[in-house]
């Protein structure tokens, strides 16, 4: 994880505990982000976030992710330059469909209006650093691919049935979505389904949306028992529900800030296992953070819900956790079963300020060791 930061704790094959306390701000549907009106003088230092060293170099990004996606295979990637069109040579779509490993970067800032889903093939890094890139109309589809990084992009205004900002299905693995801003799609912002696994979502900003993130689409999809996802240092800013909603999967949530939800913060459905660690939950009008839904897996006789373990989470200003005790029928994973170390810090006001201002797509210069021209 990130380099040294005050009061951080390192988890290494063990559980860290700290006493949870007890959040408020009025809920509005799709509120304007308070951070949109902040000046740069009030912005915390982005060095406080994990992966700060990544911003100083191009090639250090791969093999950096901590969490479910950490097993990246080092590849010699050729550079591919995008000039902001939807299709044809020089477009993002053209680069993403090529079969060879590519590091995709952008020569100019702008908005790419996608007329159809943009499919991403294996061994691609889509790197928005150095420019301001917004995708609209449709989203990215990561279908049967592996070893993909998507970083420092904006997703806004996706329209149409089943249109997600980032759709990861089926059978994709080793995916890292880092420092993206996502809002206002007709379906989900990020959906992870159909046997896709080993995925990390980090430093992302979610706003102006209803069904934010779905992990495991349907109780009939029993193959989703393989799904493992890590979500950390993300800011869910007034999104209505699904932060995430989980079926079958094992999900590790840590050091996220979720506020002002409209229904619930996190939902555990059929056979899901959610390890919620040192997160901040700040309710608006709806006070319940954790919700359980009972469904019947296609290969089982009896319906069941999922299980949530809360370790050191902060519930403030009247937020009710809604946490239920695990029963003998529930098994719960521990993240150390899948990765050996990660870094957490206390769910404090300092962490909240950092996540409010430093998550999502940022004005980050192109790393010095990256060529400036093709």
């Amino acid at each position: 994880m990130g380099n040294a930061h005050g009061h951080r704790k390192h988890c290494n094959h063990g559980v860290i505990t700290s006493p949870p306390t007890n959040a408020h701000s009025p809920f509005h549907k799709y509120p304007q982000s308070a951070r949109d009106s902040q000046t740069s003088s009030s912005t915390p230092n982005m060095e406080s976030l994990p992966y700060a060293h990544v911003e100083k170099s191009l090639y250090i990004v791969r093999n950096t992710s901590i969490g479910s996606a950490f097993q990246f295979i080092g590849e010699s990637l050729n550079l591919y330059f995008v000039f902001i069109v939807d299709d044809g040579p020089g477009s993002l779509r053209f680069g993403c469909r090529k079969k060879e490993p590519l590091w995709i970067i952008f020569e100019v800032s702008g908005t790419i209006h996608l007329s159809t889903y943009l499919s991403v093939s294996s061994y691609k890094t889509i790197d928005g650093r150095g420019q301001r890139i917004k995708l609209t109309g449709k989203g990215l589809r990561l279908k049967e691919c592996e070893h993909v990084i998507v970083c420092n992009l904006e997703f806004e205004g996706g329209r149409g049935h089943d249109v997600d900002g980032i759709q990861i299905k089926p059978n994709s693995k080793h995916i890292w979505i880092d420092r993206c801003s996502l809002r206002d799609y007709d379906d989900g912002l990020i959906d992870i389904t159909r046997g896709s696994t080993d995925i990390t979502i980090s430093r992302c900003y979610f706003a102006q949306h209803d069904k934010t993130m779905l992990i495991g689409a349907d109780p009939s999809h029993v193959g989703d028992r393989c799904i493992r996802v890590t979500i950390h240092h993300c800011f869910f800013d007034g999104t209505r529900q699904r932060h995430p909603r989980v079926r079958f999967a094992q999900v590790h949530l840590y050091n996220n800030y979720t506020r002002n939800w409209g229904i619930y913060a996190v939902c555990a459905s059929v056979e899901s296992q959610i390890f919620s660690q040192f997160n901040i939950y700040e309710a608006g009008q709806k006070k319940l953070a954790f919700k359980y839904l009972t469904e019947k897996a296609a290969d089982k006789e009896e319906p069941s819900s999922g299980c949530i373990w809360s370790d050191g989470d902060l519930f403030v200003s009247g937020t009710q956790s809604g946490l239920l005790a695990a029963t003998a029928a529930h098994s719960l994973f521990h993240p150390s079963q899948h990765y050996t170390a990660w870094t957490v810090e206390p769910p404090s006001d300092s962490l909240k300020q950092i996540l409010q201002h430093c998550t999502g797509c940022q004005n980050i210069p192109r790393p010095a060791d990256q060529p400036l021209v093709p």
Side-chain angles (χ1 to χ4, degrees):
M1 284 299 302
N3 296 324
H5 179 65
H7 302 100
R8 284 190 176 178
K9 299 184 180 182
H10 299 270
C11 299
N12 194 349
H13 292 293
V15 178
I16 289 181
T17 59
S18 76
T21 61
N22 263 10
H24 176 81
S25 103
F27 173 77
H28 304 283
K29 185 176 182 182
Y30 306 158
Q32 179 183 10
S33 168
R35 72 181 196 167
D36 291 342
S37 60
Q38 297 291 330
T39 62
S40 59
S41 61
S42 65
T43 302
N45 189 345
M46 289 195 297
E47 295 286 328
S48 302
L49 278 178
Y51 314 131
H53 60 298
V54 167
E55 315 309 346
K56 299 182 177 67
S57 174
L58 169 65
Y59 299 105
I60 200 171
V61 172
R62 297 195 73 84
N63 298 309
T64 295
S65 170
I66 296 298
S68 297
F70 83 104
Q71 298 180 44
F72 276 104
I73 297 174
E75 285 288 320
S76 177
L77 302 184
N78 294 320
L79 291 175
Y80 175 93
F81 294 82
V82 175
F83 297 91
I84 315 297
V85 289
D86 186 7
D87 205 356
S91 70
L92 177 60
R93 189 184 299 273
F94 190 84
C96 287
R97 72 163 65 107
K98 294 175 78 70
K99 298 305 181 184
E100 67 266 31
L102 290 176
W103 198 293
I104 298 172
I105 57 179
F106 296 82
E107 281 298 281
V108 293
S109 296
T111 297
I112 303 176
H113 183 85
L114 300 174
S115 56
T116 60
Y117 262 117
L118 193 157
S119 295
V120 182
S121 60
S122 296
Y123 295 99
K124 299 295 184 293
T125 294
I126 305 174
D127 186 350
R129 290 175 299 173
Q131 305 293 346
R132 194 79 179 191
I133 304 299
K134 179 185 289 187
L135 304 183
T136 187
K138 297 293 187 283
L140 299 183
R141 174 173 284 157
L142 280 59
K143 179 181 179 182
E144 296 181 329
C145 62
E146 59 182 324
H147 301 284
V148 171
I149 299 173
V150 179
C151 70
N152 216 62
L153 300 178
E154 295 181 72
F155 297 79
E156 181 175 356
R159 297 293 174 255
H161 173 68
D162 194 35
V163 172
D164 305 316
I166 302 175
Q167 186 180 91
I168 306 175
K169 71 171 186 180
N171 305 321
S172 293
K173 60 185 179 180
H174 302 309
I175 310 296
W176 182 17
I177 311 300
D178 181 50
R179 191 126 71 186
C180 289
S181 297
L182 304 99
R183 66 176 79 201
D184 188 25
Y185 268 68
D186 277 353
D187 195 4
L189 293 181
I190 299 178
D191 278 13
I192 301 166
T193 61
R194 295 283 187 174
S196 297
T197 190
D198 297 326
I199 295 161
T200 294
I201 313 295
S202 63
R203 305 190 299 179
C204 288
Y205 175 68
F206 302 87
Q208 295 177 272
H209 199 74
D210 181 7
K211 299 175 180 178
T212 309
M213 188 184 307
L214 179 65
I215 302 175
D218 190 275
S220 67
H221 300 170
V222 296
D224 284 350
R225 292 185 178 118
C226 72
I227 295 179
R228 298 186 297 265
V229 178
T230 303
I231 303 166
H232 71 88
H233 291 89
C234 291
F235 180 23
F236 298 93
D237 186 10
T239 42
R240 195 161 182 256
Q241 59 179 315
R242 299 187 179 181
H243 314 101
R245 177 179 177 177
V246 186
R247 295 182 176 95
F248 296 114
Q250 297 179 355
V251 177
H252 183 196
L253 308 171
Y254 71 91
N255 278 166
N256 301 292
Y257 175 30
T258 306
R259 73 175 181 188
N260 245 11
W261 53 85
I263 300 179
Y264 59 81
V266 175
C267 179
S269 191
V270 55
E271 297 183 21
S272 60
Q273 302 174 49
I274 301 172
F275 195 95
S276 178
Q277 184 178 35
F278 283 36
N279 300 287
I280 302 170
Y281 296 101
E282 183 175 1
Q285 294 180 1
K286 300 294 185 179
K287 300 299 183 184
L288 196 66
F290 299 146
K291 183 179 179 66
Y292 299 81
L293 289 177
T294 299
E295 297 176 298
K296 189 175 79 68
D299 59 353
K300 294 293 181 66
E301 293 295 326
E302 298 295 329
S304 67
S305 65
C307 184
I308 302 173
W309 180 266
S310 177
D311 173 23
D313 289 328
L314 179 66
F315 305 94
V316 294
S317 300
T319 299
Q320 302 166 12
S321 73
L323 194 66
L324 301 180
T327 68
H330 289 117
S331 61
L332 185 68
F333 85 108
H334 191 271
S336 61
Q337 296 171 230
H338 305 305
Y339 37 92
T340 58
W342 62 100
T343 302
V344 297
E345 57 184 297
S348 62
D349 283 341
S350 174
L351 176 64
K352 183 163 75 169
Q353 289 297 315
I354 291 166
L355 297 179
Q356 279 183 284
H357 297 287
C358 298
T359 51
C361 184
Q362 301 286 331
N363 183 20
I364 301 170
R366 182 175 288 170
D369 59 355
Q370 181 168 317
L372 295 179
V373 294

